[in-house]
Amino acid sequence: MPKIISYTPAWLSKPNPGHEIFVPSSLSADHPSLSGGVGRKGTGKPGPRRTIAQRGTEVFIAVGREIRWADLVYLKEAWEDKQKSSGKGRKRDSQYQDDHAQGYRTIKTPVAGEIRQLVISPNSNYLAILTSHTVHIAVLPESSHLTAPDTGPMKLKTYTLGPTTHVTSQSGVASALWHPLGVNGSCLVTVTEDAVVRVWELSTGDRWSFDRPTLAIDLKKLADGTSVDQDFGASGSGANKGFSPDSFEMEVASACFSSRGSGGWYPMTLWIAMREGDVYALCPLLPEKWSPPPTLVPSLSVSIVAKVAGMEDDPEIPANSKLLAQQQLAWMSDIDIQEPVHIDAALGEPAAEVYTRPSKPGRIPKLQGPFDFDLAPEESEDELDGLLSDIYVIGARIDGEELMFGEEDELEIEDGDSSAGLSVGVVCLLSSSGRLSICLDLDGIEAQWLPKLKSKVSRFIEETDAPSLLTFQVLDTLRNAEVGNNNWPTFSHDCNSRYSFFITDISCVTYISLTPWVFRLENELNESTAGTDFRVDLLAKGQNTTRERIYTQRPDEQLAPLAASSVIQDPDLGYLLLTASLRGPVSITFESPDFEYAILPRQSESPTYELESEKPLILCEPRPVYQPAPSFEETSALPLLLEKLRHSKYKRLLKEEVRLSPATLTIMTDVHKVLSEETHRIGTAAAELFRRCERLQIELKSQIQKTNDVAHRVDAISGKDNGDELVLPCNEALEQRIEAVKRNQEELTRRIENLKKRQTKGTNRELSDRERAWMEEVAVVERKIIPSAQTGDSKSEATEPWKRFEQVVELKEKLLRDVQELAEEAEQAPLPSPSVKVPSEIRKAKMAQVMHLLDRETALVEGAKSRLERLSLG
């Protein structure tokens, strides 16, 4: 877990502008967000609160129907400049003064209800604004508009997405996702609660692209589909909306894509989590025009071709698998014959290649699911444990070595972290009770389509088993007392690692990291050595996943739920997590993994800027800054009650003396309800303030004690202590301490050696069975290699290796003598007649064969001798 350095800084606290941009201008007790989206009448329903969107150091915060736009670095520097000017006691002209731009603006939106989600596009040029039922797309301006002279509210160019589709009379919007393979990040996928997926390819030059989707799929129809030729489009506004089991079991809770840099089919797979606990996948889901990363098409082409080649002549493979492979081959063949169009990408990125969605075997894929959960825990008695709220998918890594095997040119991998990690996908599910289920997609998601209606092969296809996910670990992030019906936990991506994320509940933030076991599991899956099953079982049963709660709201603040966290990594801000409620922002600063940021000078300061002194040593754990309870600032409801009584039938009693009567009792009862509730809130807040004051005194004493201990240690090291002994110079004192440590180390080493010798002498235990077997094996090898002094049976000795070696040596010497004699006779004798002449090639071949046999026997004997020597030494 990253180390926490500090919590909400001063420039994000009251009464600075950094705090005010997160809170509404007027907050009343009946605000619809104070109870998780439930209004006065209680007709609202809980849902995700993703009200913070990020673009670099800029943040967009949804507050009611407004959007606040701010640059956090600008706000921080403005606060620092204000502190410097107030400390010097004189005013100086600065860009951060009140008559200049303040680095934040208010954006007016045309929405009719409270904004629940803000989703920014990959290229940061569009912002999707979601209410419970409507979707608006805003075109974002440049950052320079934040520092423009005009600081008043601004109105952006906004388009209504689906004016007749996403309306209040239709089903609510569960998720809006920017497709990772959209052209320049302009493709939006909306998923409604009634399980309808729509793909929108947006273009500001074509207003019709905001009116109708290019692809609409009703998942309830697709789940029962049998042929790709059927109509799976969404029903019109006049369709029957009566109750059906599908409408209850297929109520969408959330949907997600994996990252663009994932391997395999993951970038084009839409994962849908149903509220009742089912999980579905839609692969491949592509817009009409799509832009893949450089490694996607080659990796898919290699895997599909290898798969088809392996299945072609294997009779044991079922017909449905062969049909699926042929469908994938037809889909890839349609891509291979295309000539991609090269268009300009975002600034600083290479030109993008744009492909057209293949028409074969069909533009609508098969709905895969519901997935079976292997090794799933037993069903809980708590109903909220089975109600899913969010889904988060980490795609498989890209195998760059396998992809580039035999290739001369290397492809650039966009995501630097995508080449490391698991070769299988990870699917994380989150329930309303805060239960996190970590599942592995061992089978691997693949593209699937329904067969054609007139296809002959489809008649003989057997029913396939339902896809499955392996439940690896199950964790709880909430206590029993913190679970509520309005809770809707959400995932937030961590910018430093693809295997870590944050979970934001209604009242707390939890850090989760899968890094401790991901790389170990990948090694076990790749090596597959002896004991792999045992080690994998230890990984699954052990609590290897890092789970740490980093923030918890006070009990009196839980009526204002936290928004989904946003993580920022910037040299000026550091490694920052930002969340907010209607009470104000909450930020947590972690120790940045990139330590280069800490030593770089700030570029925004003038050349005469003097570097600040080193930060003091942190002697205590950081904690959230105390914020006064809202009860101290809320206005009393008693004046409003008195005003109502003056216009009611009891107005006469307010001017008369108090008399015992039913009317007086009614008035006193109403007043007591108001006063008792207000005094209870104020008393609770005052008690919390008192406890904080006592805790502050205790912490102050602890810090003083720790500082005193550190000071004594420094004085002892430097030799400046004021004891009775003579004060030595710093260098001499350090040298004496080093010499004392060396002497102590030598003494410990000597004692350890003595203990080892005593232990060796005192050990007199019997040999184990394995040691006896090893000694017997050494003796057998010795008898086979070295001749023993005892004479044995001549027949048995003839088969021993040492006897064979002696025979080979004798044979070698004899052959050498014979060859030498024949050579001498050949030199002295006259030339033989042509009838008895032996060709030189045959003589050379025979000699080479003999020498090869001799060398082989010699190597065998030498290897046996060396092995015996090693065994003897061991």
Side-chain angles (χ1 to χ4, degrees), residues 660-678:
L660 299 179
S661 65
T664 304
L665 180 60
T666 301
I667 295 175
M668 297 297 291
T669 303
D670 295 341
V671 173
H672 181 266
K673 290 180 181 179
V674 175
L675 289 179
S676 63
E677 183 179 354
E678 292 182 355

Side-chain angles (χ1 to χ4, degrees), residues 471-473 535-544:
T471 304
F472 190 77
Q473 284 184 354
R535 292 190 293 270
V536 171
D537 186 62
L538 289 180
L539 286 177
K541 293 181 178 179
Q543 297 296 330
N544 298 309

